[in-house]
Amino acid sequence: MVVSSGERFERTMTRSMSPEHAVERHLKEREPEVFASTLQNNRYELKRFVEWTDEAGLDDISELDGFHIHDFKIHRCEEGGVNETTLPNNLSALRVFVSWLESMEVIDGDLSDKMQIPNPDSDARDTMIDAETAEEILDDLEKFEYGTLRHALFALLWDTGFRLGTVRALDLGDYHPDERYVEVVHRPDEVTPLKNQGEAEREVNLHEWVCEVLDDYVEVSRHDVTDDYGREPLLTTQHGRPVGTHLRQNINALTRPCHYAGECPHDRDQSECEAAGNYRELRREAFEMN
């Protein structure tokens, strides 16, 4: 069948729309399919893309091509201040959106399949513990420190991949147990600013088991205290919001084999090992502070 130039023009006009309008239609279609928190995350990620299209002069989403995707990626790296985790999140949400555009025949081809999502692995992440070790630590916490500060801290870090500073900055009101997510908010000029400031603001889903740990921590172990700014921290000590060094010391202790596995990687006698003694002291302090 021969398609006339008039028919091609009419088809092009019917599929032409602004990036903002296309994103709104995409999110509207996803609304009944995903959790509200997931939809909010997608909206946040795609908001950055829509803002970029305004700067780049991409007024019609049907003109989107691989060069635009590449330019957006460069923009986010050079001007967006994103880290190795945020960029993949941005691009993953964008790829789902691009796939939707293809399904609606707004754009042609298989652009979504050709999108390259950066691998979040980096030198910093090479030092992270593996899943098997994390399970051992969580089992140890489940048995001996259930619902304590350290249990809640490690569960949050493992499930979200947050920096310690981000977890420390969470307020009680940032945790939404019914919807199962935490809201990361940049609060400038205070004691808990985020490293990437406004760019780091987001909502992150939590697994149900993490929410169970947090719920029990809040009910049983969390101290009803405020910090120097009158805010209610999610994680607390008897004196208010824990300092970063305190949280780091506890994570360092939790990730030592002599702590969670009960055996020394250097075949030392734990009763004579100063480091092991320090870790046991931290565990004792963890109970006292809870």
Side-chain angles (χ1 to χ4, degrees), residues 232-249:
E232 297 181 299
L234 175 60
L235 301 183
T236 64
T237 68
Q238 295 176 343
H239 307 290
R241 193 182 300 272
V243 296
T245 53
H246 174 71
L247 297 180
R248 187 170 299 280
Q249 285 176 343

Side-chain angles (χ1 to χ4, degrees), residues 21-35:
H21 183 206
V23 166
E24 286 302 320
R25 291 193 60 166
H26 164 62
L27 295 175
K28 187 68 175 178
E29 185 170 309
R30 297 205 77 199
E31 189 171 352
E33 302 172 356
V34 299
F35 287 116

Side-chain angles (χ1 to χ4, degrees), residues 7-262:
E7 289 174 319
R8 286 196 298 270
F9 177 77
E10 182 179 357
R11 179 168 178 261
T12 301
M13 290 300 293
T14 57
R15 69 181 186 180
S16 296
M17 66 181 77
S18 69
E20 183 176 10
H21 183 206
V23 166
E24 286 302 320
R25 291 193 60 166
H26 164 62
L27 295 175
K28 187 68 175 178
E29 185 170 309
R30 297 205 77 199
E31 189 171 352
E33 302 172 356
V34 299
F35 287 116
S37 54
T38 301
L39 194 70
Q40 291 170 338
N41 285 340
N42 291 163
R43 185 179 299 278
Y44 173 81
E45 304 291 354
L46 292 174
K47 177 183 177 182
R48 304 306 179 196
F49 174 70
V50 171
E51 291 173 347
W52 173 81
T53 60
D54 289 340
E55 299 176 14
L58 180 61
D59 301 321
D60 187 347
I61 198 63
S62 68
E63 298 176 358
L64 182 70
D65 59 27
F67 286 102
H68 291 121
I69 301 297
H70 177 76
D71 289 346
F72 174 67
K73 185 189 301 185
I74 297 300
H75 167 76
R76 292 298 289 149
C77 288
E78 294 184 349
E79 299 183 32
V82 299
N83 58 33
E84 70 277 4
T85 301
T86 305
L87 182 59
N89 290 345
N90 287 167
L91 295 179
S92 294
L94 180 59
R95 181 159 61 183
V96 174
F97 172 58
V98 172
S99 179
W100 177 83
L101 291 174
E102 293 166 348
S103 70
M104 298 297 291
E105 298 185 343
V106 177
I107 61 175
D108 296 321
D110 53 353
L111 180 58
S112 61
D113 291 336
K114 296 177 181 178
M115 288 181 61
Q116 296 182 358
I117 308 298
N119 190 326
D121 289 342
S122 67
D123 293 339
R125 288 179 173 261
D126 286 342
T127 62
M128 292 183 65
I129 62 174
D130 55 38
E132 183 177 352
T133 300
E135 288 300 324
E136 288 190 67
I137 295 171
L138 288 168
D139 285 345
D140 181 75
L141 289 167
E142 183 87 13
K143 293 176 183 176
F144 302 110
E145 297 187 44
Y146 183 83
T148 62
L149 169 65
R150 293 209 293 187
H151 194 191
L153 171 63
F154 189 84
L156 267 173
L157 289 172
W158 179 247
D159 198 39
T160 63
F162 286 162
R163 295 184 176 93
L164 273 175
T166 300
V167 172
R168 178 176 177 268
L170 293 173
D171 285 351
L172 183 62
D174 297 331
Y175 170 49
H176 302 270
D178 294 336
E179 296 83 5
R180 299 211 299 267
Y181 75 93
V182 287
E183 185 177 5
V184 180
V185 181
H186 174 58
R187 297 176 173 97
D189 302 324
E190 293 193 7
V191 72
T192 61
L194 300 179
K195 182 176 180 180
N196 291 321
Q197 301 181 18
E199 294 291 335
E201 292 189 332
R202 60 203 183 278
E203 294 173 349
V204 179
N205 296 332
L206 300 173
H207 284 95
E208 185 175 358
W209 68 268
V210 180
C211 292
E212 291 175 359
V213 171
L214 289 177
D215 290 345
D216 289 336
Y217 166 74
V218 170
E219 182 176 353
V220 177
S221 302
R222 181 187 174 276
H223 298 283
D224 187 15
V225 294
T226 59
D227 65 12
D228 293 339
Y229 292 88
R231 289 163 47 194
E232 297 181 299
L234 175 60
L235 301 183
T236 64
T237 68
Q238 295 176 343
H239 307 290
R241 193 182 300 272
V243 296
T245 53
H246 174 71
L247 297 180
R248 187 170 299 280
Q249 285 176 343
N250 278 283
I251 289 299
N252 288 342
L254 287 175
T255 53
R256 297 287 183 176
C258 57
H259 182 92
Y260 65 84

